[in-house]
Amino acid sequence: MSTDGWKNPLRDPRDKRLPRIAGPCGLVIFGVTGDLSRKKLMPAIYDLANRGLLPPGFALTGFARRDWETQDFGQVVLDAVKAHARTPFNQTVWDRLSEGFRFVQGSFDDDDAFDRLEQTVEQLDEIRGTNGNHAFYLSIPPNAFPVVCKQLARSGLSAQEGLDQWRRVVIEKPFGHDLKSAIELNGIVNEVFPEDSVFRIDHYLGKETVQNILALRFANQLFEPIWNSHYVDHVQITMAEDIGLGGRAGYYDGIGAARDVIQNHLLQLLAFIAMEEPTSFSSNELRSEKIKVLNATRLVGPLDETTARGQYAGGWQGGELVPGLKEEEGFNPESHTETYAAITCEIDTRRWAGVPFYLRTGKRLGRRVTEIAVIFKRAPHLPFDATMTEELGQNAFVIRVQPDEGVTMRFGSKVPGSLMEVRDVTMDFGYGSAFTEASPEAYERLILDVLLGEPSLFPVNEEVERSWEILDPVIEHWAAEKAGPDPYPAGSWGPESANTMLARTGRTWRRP
Ligand code: BG6
């Protein structure tokens, strides 16, 4: 058979299924010794290399105060990869990747150290062919952002040299602690990096199940007609964790659950669920729809009744007796930091008018689960004997973000037998059984997108500022209260006040 004129479809550049491979570039991580770097960033970089998605000359430079040589840094990366990488260890991949490692020792106020970093990056351009393309990952506390940004500017590291070269900055949350500080922070970052070079990480947007919200809503005809206030009674967005805060006092005490995850992850989930269809998935279109819906989102009051906050006390969790927050190492024994937060929002648009969105999150809850439950109104009329529908609840469409990623639909069905008895049943889609490919980690997707310069999954400063604007009144309201958060036992589903908050409108939280 002649193959003249045959083109391998995998080589057609218009084929969007082609793996997206980053061009020549390097990544510098500030805060390499931190938990995030070891548990998420280093393993994700290895996984990308293992999947063949990094350029051959890729360079990874660590910057930290530790008195390390490049070999010591390499060993730390190796340990992190062996402990936390998703894909199997491959010596050849590792050898190639680790040739591009460099380490620069110094503190953030040390001009010499930044000058050395600048020389290192220049040498990498020559030796590894990184071509002047570099991303700077600030995996550091936000109070260090200003000094690092200034150093990057002073040493010339932030300046891209040619039109075809790039310099980007990656910022980890928290982006401020309220609207005012977020505006200040964004100002400082934008003085050095133009907004299109700033990549703010909200790792929830890197999750497959979160991106799947867009596929479910906009690739199907099934859901759109009922995705509005005519059919939807309310929406519950839950991010529950079973872990406590031991070891995280430095970051968490005084911050609390609302700032830690509602301001970012949960409001982003709300935006994905509630936004209108973008005309395309270009980053501008997607962001502009998210911004529109966040602009229409507001808190429902009175906040005493429509919000709840709690703090875990000691208790039994998973067969283990665990301490309360106040007993955790490093926390103030008088701490008023909330480890559980729940708020009520509404969205002032024709689609969503009058539909409450309940957002809740907590540490040391019954189990780890993140889900979005869209709860539908009851059928307007039930032509059944009332005793036959006692076990019929409201229809629900539940997006299981993690773990056990998938979707559940709950609806009524006839119980087999001679009576017309109706009871709730569920129908399930699970990623594990529907697909053979395992989902990449959120950080793999996001780091790759940074290197590719693909901004869709990164909130712009307008989104960040708008999210603070939504949340600030709750934080201020809680701060003005004399009493601290309501205690709840570890292993439970939060404080009683959270149940009361929903009960006032005759609703109850789902028990995931
Ligand atoms: C982080 C929060 O953003 O998300 C942590 O700061 C939280 O407090 C973590 O534990 C949860 O991430 P995931 O991906 O396990 O849901």
Side-chain angles (χ1 to χ4, degrees), residues 423-438:
R423 187 188 293 168
D424 280 340
V425 293
T426 56
M427 201 161 78
D428 244 33
F429 146 65
Y431 272 79
S433 49
F435 300 111
T436 47
E437 302 90 342

Side-chain angles (χ1 to χ4, degrees), residues 4-81:
D4 284 357
W6 181 83
K7 285 208 176 66
N8 181 346
L10 285 177
R11 296 204 172 279
D12 181 346
R14 288 163 307 175
D15 187 339
K16 293 277 192 294
R17 290 166 304 173
L18 273 179
R20 303 172 318 144
I21 302 173
C25 63
L27 180 70
V28 177
I29 303 183
F30 295 95
V32 270
T33 52
D35 238 30
L36 180 79
S37 170
R38 270 183 289 181
K39 292 196 179 137
K40 300 287 181 190
L41 308 185
M42 295 169 177
I45 289 164
Y46 168 79
D47 287 326
L48 287 172
N50 207 6
R51 292 165 62 205
L53 302 179
L54 294 184
F58 179 76
L60 174 67
T61 306
F63 183 102
R65 225 172 311 180
R66 301 280 165 98
D67 186 14
W68 283 346
E69 298 292 327
T70 291
Q71 290 91 310
D72 304 314
F73 172 56
Q75 187 57 46
V76 171
V77 185
L78 182 62
D79 293 345
V81 166

Side-chain angles (χ1 to χ4, degrees), residues 40 173 203-204 207 239 241 243 245 248 251-252 260-261 264-265 363 368 370 402:
K40 300 287 181 190
K173 57 171 262 283
H203 78 281
Y204 262 60
K207 291 182 192 275
M239 175 181 171
E241 292 183 282
I243 49 170
L245 286 154
R248 288 190 76 199
Y251 161 71
Y252 204 92
D260 182 38
V261 301
N264 37 74
H265 308 326
K363 303 278 182 191
R368 173 176 183 253
T370 299
Q402 67 186 26

Side-chain angles (χ1 to χ4, degrees), residues 391-396 408-416 421-428:
E391 291 185 51
L392 177 65
Q394 285 167 273
N395 296 162
T408 301
M409 238 197 254
R410 184 180 71 191
F411 49 86
S413 185
K414 181 180 176 304
V415 179
E421 192 185 348
V422 184
R423 187 188 293 168
D424 280 340
V425 293
T426 56
M427 201 161 78
D428 244 33

Side-chain angles (χ1 to χ4, degrees), residues 121-165:
V121 160
E122 253 180 49
Q123 285 161 6
L124 285 169
D125 288 343
E126 273 171 39
I127 302 169
R128 303 282 297 170
T130 44
N131 281 6
N133 301 325
H134 298 276
F136 303 97
Y137 200 122
L138 311 194
S139 175
I140 53 178
N143 59 9
F145 291 175
V147 56
V148 173
C149 284
K150 281 188 188 130
Q151 286 285 18
L152 290 174
R154 190 202 53 78
S155 57
L157 277 160
S158 60
Q160 78 187 38
E161 275 155 27
L163 277 181
D164 53 346
Q165 298 184 344

